[in-house]
Amino acid sequence: MAFKQTRLRVPHGIGPTKENRRIRSCSSSRRRRGRRGRKRMESQLNFNIENSFDSCYSYCARQALDELPHSFTITDPSISGHPIVFASKGFLKVFGYTKDEVVGKNGRVFQGPKTDRKSVMEIREAIREERSMQINLLNYRKDGTPFWMLFHLSPVFSKQDGRVIHFVGVQVPISPPRRPRWLASGVVRNGANMCEEVDRVCGNTNIMFGSCRREVCSDTPVELSRVLALESVLDDSSRGLGIEETCEASKLERQKAEDAINKIFSVLTRHSELTGRFVCAERHSLPGAGILSSSLNISLGRIKQSFVLTDPHLPDMPIVYASDAFLRLTGYARNEVLGHNCRFLSGADTDFSTLYQIKESIQTEQACTVRILNYRKDKSSFWNYLHMSPVRNASGKVAYFVGVQIEEGCKNQDRNGLCPEMRHCSVVGAVKVAVRSLSMGAGPSRS
Amino acid sequence: MVTVKQVEDDNLVSKGAIPEQLKCPRFCFRDIRIPLYRFSSQSLLDDSPFEGHVCIPEDEQSALDSLLLAQWEDKMWKGVLRYDVTTSEIKVIFGRRKFIAQLNERLGMDYVPKPEPDKICGQGNLSEFQWTKHQEEFLFYVASGEMAIPELIPSAAMPDGAVLIIINEIPVEYGHVFLVPCGPDSLAQVLDTKSLEMVARFAVEINNCSFRLFYDCPTAGTSHRYFEACYFPSPLPVELTPVDTFFHERRRGMRISAVTDFPIKTLLFESNKKFKRMVEVLVEICCQLQEKSIPYNLLISDCGKKIFLFLQMQNMANSGTLSAWECGGYFLFQSRSEFDQATEETMLNKLRDVSLDDEGFQVVKELCCSIADKFAA
């Protein structure tokens, strides 16, 4: 996967460069770290992304979708970073990228300095509430040119457990509107004439502003000056109105988006029957017990340490979330740990009294820190410096327990310079913030 | 590799004569050693477009975010806080605006009318006892830095121009802290550019959409300038309300809008370039508001990209003003009955009652344009 290196090369721990992407899990005699480990991480991510699509709709669906002319992407909220797992041919054409440059990226890379922050927030809220929405949005092509499009977002639900499996995003480019004459002549406000640099804008204009732009294209000086030149041309071409003035999608464009969504969903539902996954465009059942909302998945995906979330309200308190780092540490695959109690980590020499201590803390809804001997999938053991804490949702009651694992005795350098106790706390804090908004009901509350 | 630096203390505090300012009781800060987070040398003052800093990862927790959450959770576990705020129930009040209500019965019991920083940083001598008591509430310092990337120094004395982060032991939400600028003129009552820049920079580097920063204009009796911040679980109603732009300076990318159809008069400041210019304009506006005795509050949200300015009624007595999060639409209730009976209408009235009137709002909008013009020239 082509991953453009745009950050500063930093020798220290803080920073997201390749040098600092170390695997948290320690090297035992059987495992290697360093470049091979990183390559393994990347290939694991690539595999997850491909598998996300293929396991649900089968490989044949790719062909069927490629026959559609529309521009659209499919993203997976359960993979860390909420990446694109499929981009249509139409999308690549409209935006000017190749498939490898797009798959694995988050949708924000197509936003830029003039994209309206409020629209970005509305999209985020729609994702959080797992509902469809349409919005006019300014995006940027690979060559840096901005353009308006109608963005239509639709979640893909699993028929069986009501969970959101993917989000489909359709992009319908909007043709620029004809400028009304009174605006073209210049804007006058309170008797003051508009000057070149300072624009006073009357009325309801929806100008967009700065989300930071992830550079997917090259940002050499040549490119940059081209972008700036283009933007100034666009600004001057219409007196008082630049590319920033909002474009409303026409009825025809809205219809195009609806058509696209329908066609895409028909392909996806048909193919999902073949794989047995059965998806649908609307939620048919409330999410089953132990299913996390996509927004919680996305929030938790930002935490790069090893941790799990367990649900004390379900029988045998199973794991409902496991971070990628946890899977790397223990050697298990995600489907092998979800739905299971953590006791599979214990083994022959695990101390009973420590297990009892953990159990007691859970029952009294207290946090605890212990050192416990755990076992990986390959039966090798490691000392787990474990911190467990109850996590409450909007009702104020305990919704989950979070368990943070730090492998002792290994060269576990935290990129943020925090000591192990602090690392425990930073994970717990981030999880608490993420879970706090869950189950926030409206109206009178008696839960 | 970990970027922890073992730096000699003396380097951090300037050698030479002790400045006059440090002779006040705050001077005791020198002996308090807590972690120090230094921003990278890349600053917001650049002419370059306000892009995401290269040092702040987009898809994972930033270093500053980890540090703040870690320290906060640690203090909570050690019992520094009076209560666990996550046990307080929150809900959305039924209605179009989606006001948020929190039931916090403990707040009433422990409520301290004067915020902590006044006790620590106010005039007058503080006894040894008070210093040790408050020391555990100090989390870390934040200061500007020289390196290309941010640095975390595990233990340091207070450097010049630092902002001290103090935990709020009676939190409104998770992560509630005070940010106290400790520069030479921090005893001044007026908002200044340097503090607002530092604090906005802080929000940018936290890079967490849940994180909001607040500032309530100083009321009579407040002797020290400070900001507050915490993590709110969902968007605040004011952030969801449409805006109407009335000033847009394209070249410097500054835009001032009025929030439409919101019960309290609110302005929104945004800038995607020359951020420093916007800060200067905003500070000037706030100074003028203070001179006119118009109470105001600031809310910094969207990772530092949006600054809301709430305008309250001209109030000579300067009493009974709302806090910034209330202006934003997040309300606290101390009794179960109040919490259950809260309606959107009562919240709307609460905000309308303290809001600046239409006429005053027009005057403020004109003021903003003229100050922004002045700085644009």
Side-chain angles (χ1 to χ4, degrees):
Chain A
M1 168 173 71
F3 211 104
K4 175 80 181 172
Q5 175 64 279
T6 57
R7 317 269 194 191
L8 290 178
R9 288 197 175 273
V10 289
H12 309 284
I14 294 182
T17 63
K18 283 182 183 162
E19 282 87 337
N20 298 322
R21 286 190 200 283
R22 290 184 196 272
I23 312 172
R24 298 266 153 39
S25 43
C26 184
S27 67
S28 68
S29 56
R30 292 180 224 177
R31 291 210 265 135
R32 296 199 174 88
R33 60 178 158 172
R35 191 183 294 165
R36 266 192 228 169
R38 275 194 298 281
K39 276 217 154 56
R40 202 178 305 134
M41 258 169 76
E42 276 183 26
S43 64
Q44 180 67 45
L45 181 61
N46 287 342
F47 173 76
N48 287 345
I49 287 173
E50 275 197 35
N51 193 49
S52 164
F53 185 94
D54 295 342
S55 66
C56 201
Y57 315 114
S58 85
Y59 192 77
C60 312
R62 288 178 189 269
Q63 251 181 325
L65 290 178
D66 276 340
E67 283 166 21
L68 298 174
H70 315 284
S71 161
F72 62 94
T73 50
I74 301 178
T75 58
D76 187 337
S78 67
I79 299 180
S80 172
H82 193 185
I84 292 171
V85 298
F86 181 89
S88 73
K89 286 208 165 116
F91 178 90
L92 302 176
K93 192 159 146 219
V94 166
F95 281 78
Y97 289 105
T98 64
K99 189 168 81 106
D100 288 336
E101 289 171 325
V102 162
V103 168
K105 297 281 161 45
N106 181 284
R108 76 173 77 86
V109 306
F110 309 109
Q111 296 158 12
K114 294 199 163 84
T115 307
D116 182 22
R117 295 298 305 162
K118 186 144 177 301
S119 303
V120 170
M121 181 169 59
E122 284 177 38
I123 296 171
R124 199 165 51 226
E125 280 306 291
I127 291 174
R128 196 150 78 101
E129 293 170 17
E130 295 177 336
R131 58 177 162 81
S132 298
M133 57 103 73
Q134 267 190 1
I135 196 164
N136 303 307
L137 191 70
L138 189 80
N139 262 190
Y140 286 71
R141 296 187 193 91
K142 178 171 175 173
D143 62 9
T145 54
F147 70 100
W148 279 96
M149 60 154 187
L150 175 68
F151 180 69
H152 184 122
L153 180 80
S154 260
V156 181
F157 294 96
S158 157
K159 259 191 196 164
Q160 294 151 328
D161 55 22
R163 164 161 64 103
V164 170
I165 300 182
H166 293 117
F167 282 96
V168 175
V170 169
Q171 303 84 14
V172 177
I174 300 175
S175 38
R178 249 171 279 128
R179 314 261 183 238
R181 255 199 291 143
W182 70 273
L183 277 173
S185 63
V187 177
V188 173
R189 184 180 169 280
N190 287 354
N193 281 325
M194 186 188 77
C195 72
E196 268 177 346
E197 290 166 11
V198 179
D199 291 345
R200 314 239 179 146
V201 183
C202 305
N204 229 342
T205 53
N206 195 7
I207 310 176
M208 49 306 98
F209 261 90
S211 79
C212 37
R213 177 175 167 210
R214 294 297 103 215
E215 305 286 350
V216 184
C217 62
S218 155
D219 55 352
T220 59
V222 171
E223 292 274 4
L224 206 54
S225 61
R226 193 142 60 91
V227 171
L228 291 171
L230 192 61
E231 285 194 351
S232 69
V233 162
L234 289 166
D235 277 355
D236 293 343
S237 65
S238 47
R239 300 267 292 145
L241 288 175
I243 187 69
E244 299 131 13
E245 310 310 326
T246 199
C247 271
E248 290 279 333
S250 66
K251 206 166 160 195
L252 179 66
E253 279 146 357
R254 277 197 287 262
Q255 196 57 49
K256 270 193 198 165
E258 296 276 358
D259 284 343
I261 283 283
N262 289 336
K263 290 214 171 72
I264 295 164
F265 267 88
S266 117
V267 169
L268 295 181
T269 45
R270 205 168 3 109
H271 283 81
S272 72
E273 282 160 21
L274 298 174
T275 60
R277 290 290 290 269
F278 294 101
V279 303
C280 51
E282 258 122 45
R283 180 167 268 147
H284 281 199
S285 55
L286 282 175
I291 304 292
L292 263 50
S293 73
S294 44
S295 78
L296 183 58
N297 261 313
I298 295 170
S299 302
L300 296 178
R302 294 183 86 223
I303 307 169
K304 299 303 177 188
Q305 286 89 337
S306 165
F307 72 98
V308 293
L309 228 58
T310 55
D311 191 336
H313 306 297
L314 296 177
D316 204 26
M317 195 158 152
I319 294 175
V320 294
Y321 183 91
S323 71
D324 291 338
F326 174 83
L327 302 177
R328 281 194 300 275
L329 170 64
T330 57
Y332 288 97
R334 187 161 271 115
N335 60 350
E336 290 173 323
V337 310
L338 288 182
H340 293 88
N341 181 284
C342 291
R343 71 173 68 83
F344 65 83
L345 292 171
S346 303
D349 291 333
T350 303
D351 184 30
F352 274 128
S353 62
T354 316
L355 285 171
Y356 185 73
Q357 198 182 339
I358 295 172
K359 196 167 172 186
E360 258 213 279
S361 299
I362 293 170
Q363 273 169 351
T364 55
E365 291 185 346
Q366 304 278 335
C368 71
T369 309
V370 299
R371 278 183 77 242
I372 185 169
L373 190 68
N374 277 162
Y375 293 79
R376 299 189 187 89
K377 183 174 179 182
D378 65 3
K379 308 285 192 286
S380 62
S381 68
F382 64 97
W383 278 102
N384 180 0
Y385 187 34
L386 173 72
H387 177 85
M388 285 199 62
S389 177
V391 180
R392 295 166 190 277
N393 64 12
S395 68
K397 301 195 171 56
V398 174
Y400 302 108
F401 272 84
V402 61
V404 190
Q405 303 83 19
I406 294 181
E407 186 181 353
E408 280 200 345
C410 114
K411 208 166 155 241
N412 238 333
Q413 299 297 350
D414 179 60
R415 64 174 64 192
N416 293 332
L418 299 176
C419 65
E421 289 77 17
M422 284 296 144
R423 278 150 65 193
H424 280 153
C425 290
S426 85
V427 175
V428 172
V431 172
K432 282 187 174 179
V433 171
V435 172
R436 176 96 170 116
S437 61
L438 293 186
S439 309
M440 193 148 78
S445 49
R446 272 287 170 194
S447 41
Chain B
M1 281 302 292
V2 173
T3 181
V4 174
K5 282 190 90 171
Q6 297 296 337
V7 180
E8 283 299 321
D9 326 337
D10 289 345
N11 294 345
L12 298 170
V13 181
S14 56
K15 296 181 186 174
I18 298 164
E20 273 301 308
Q21 307 88 298
L22 290 179
K23 285 186 179 160
C24 78
R26 281 190 308 106
F27 184 57
C28 297
F29 282 5
R30 274 191 81 163
D31 303 330
I32 295 169
R33 308 180 66 76
I34 49 181
L36 165 66
Y37 181 93
R38 283 194 179 276
F39 294 132
S40 66
S41 57
Q42 177 190 16
S43 70
L44 292 173
L45 320 180
D46 294 354
D47 283 357
S48 55
F50 184 48
E51 302 224 329
H53 284 211
V54 293
C55 313
I56 306 170
E58 273 286 329
D59 58 351
E60 57 183 277
Q61 262 189 309
S62 69
L64 188 56
D65 195 22
S66 298
L67 175 63
L68 178 56
L69 288 168
Q71 290 265 4
W72 213 88
E73 178 65 24
D74 181 54
K75 295 295 182 190
M76 182 152 110
W77 203 25
K78 291 190 170 131
V80 172
L81 299 172
R82 304 255 185 115
Y83 55 83
D84 179 359
V85 69
T86 62
T87 58
S88 305
E89 190 183 331
I90 47 176
K91 70 175 186 190
V92 175
I93 295 178
F94 186 73
R96 180 168 63 94
R97 314 283 183 151
K98 301 190 180 171
F99 287 126
I100 303 169
Q102 183 191 121
L103 172 58
N104 191 330
E105 286 153 328
R106 265 77 51 89
L107 195 70
M109 290 180 344
D110 299 319
Y111 188 62
V112 173
K114 256 189 180 250
E116 291 296 317
D118 270 6
K119 284 203 234 150
I120 299 164
C121 310
Q123 277 99 2
N125 294 316
L126 289 174
S127 66
E128 278 299 308
F129 170 73
Q130 276 177 301
W131 275 119
T132 19
K133 177 193 183 296
H134 286 297
Q135 209 168 326
E136 60 184 2
E137 293 165 19
F138 294 4
L139 298 186
F140 57 96
Y141 299 114
V142 167
S144 48
E146 307 290 308
M147 308 270 302
I149 45 109
E151 276 181 78
L152 175 62
I153 300 147
S155 177
M158 186 180 82
D160 288 335
V163 176
L164 172 61
I165 313 298
I166 306 176
I167 199 168
N168 185 351
E169 55 176 16
I170 39 171
V172 164
E173 259 301 341
Y174 194 87
H176 196 167
V177 292
F178 295 108
L179 295 90
V180 185
C182 292
D185 54 349
S186 53
L187 287 178
Q189 289 244 8
V190 165
L191 185 63
D192 73 311
T193 322
K194 180 111 203 310
S195 303
L196 188 54
E197 262 176 48
M198 284 284 276
V199 151
R201 181 75 191 271
F202 191 93
V204 169
E205 294 231 7
I206 288 269
N207 199 32
N208 186 328
C209 296
S210 302
F211 187 76
R212 315 307 200 285
L213 263 155
F214 306 95
Y215 179 77
D216 296 330
C217 77
T219 54
T222 316
S223 59
H224 200 100
R225 190 197 318 121
Y226 64 94
F227 298 80
E228 295 181 57
C230 60
Y231 293 85
F232 279 104
S234 56
L236 293 173
V238 71
E239 294 168 337
L240 297 172
T241 314
V243 300
D244 186 10
T245 302
F246 64 88
F247 181 92
H248 181 206
E249 193 204 333
R250 191 157 294 131
R251 212 167 65 137
R252 290 192 186 85
M254 181 167 71
R255 171 184 166 197
I256 309 179
S257 321
V259 177
T260 55
D261 192 26
F262 199 67
I264 189 168
K265 298 286 184 274
T266 310
L267 294 175
L268 170 60
F269 292 77
E270 295 169 284
S271 172
N272 66 343
K273 295 177 192 174
K274 304 215 177 173
F275 187 74
K276 178 171 175 140
R277 181 55 47 81
M278 185 181 84
V279 167
E280 286 170 352
V281 169
L282 188 50
V283 164
E284 178 64 32
I285 292 169
C286 291
C287 289
Q288 301 246 359
L289 289 175
Q290 205 155 341
E291 274 173 35
K292 294 177 164 46
S293 297
I294 296 177
Y296 65 90
N297 312 72
L298 291 176
L299 162 65
I300 302 179
S301 77
D302 200 8
C303 307
K305 296 190 181 80
K306 291 190 160 146
I307 303 184
F308 290 92
L309 172 64
F310 300 106
L311 299 160
Q312 299 189 38
M313 202 155 50
Q314 210 157 358
N315 185 349
M316 297 305 176
N318 257 344
S319 58
T321 53
L322 292 184
S323 61
W325 52 83
E326 288 175 302
C327 295
Y330 190 98
F331 299 95
L332 280 88
F333 296 91
Q334 285 161 27
S335 74
R336 166 60 72 177
S337 57
E338 272 178 16
F339 178 72
D340 284 342
Q341 286 156 28
T343 60
E344 185 173 273
E345 200 51 44
T346 47
M347 296 302 101
L348 284 172
N349 288 334
K350 199 168 174 181
L351 291 178
R352 279 190 200 119
D353 286 345
V354 297
S355 173
L356 189 65
D357 56 15
D358 288 333
E359 206 184 285
F361 192 39
Q362 196 55 35
V363 169
V364 173
K365 278 160 82 171
E366 304 281 335
L367 176 70
C368 289
C369 289
S370 68
I371 290 175
D373 273 339
K374 189 173 75 171
F375 277 87

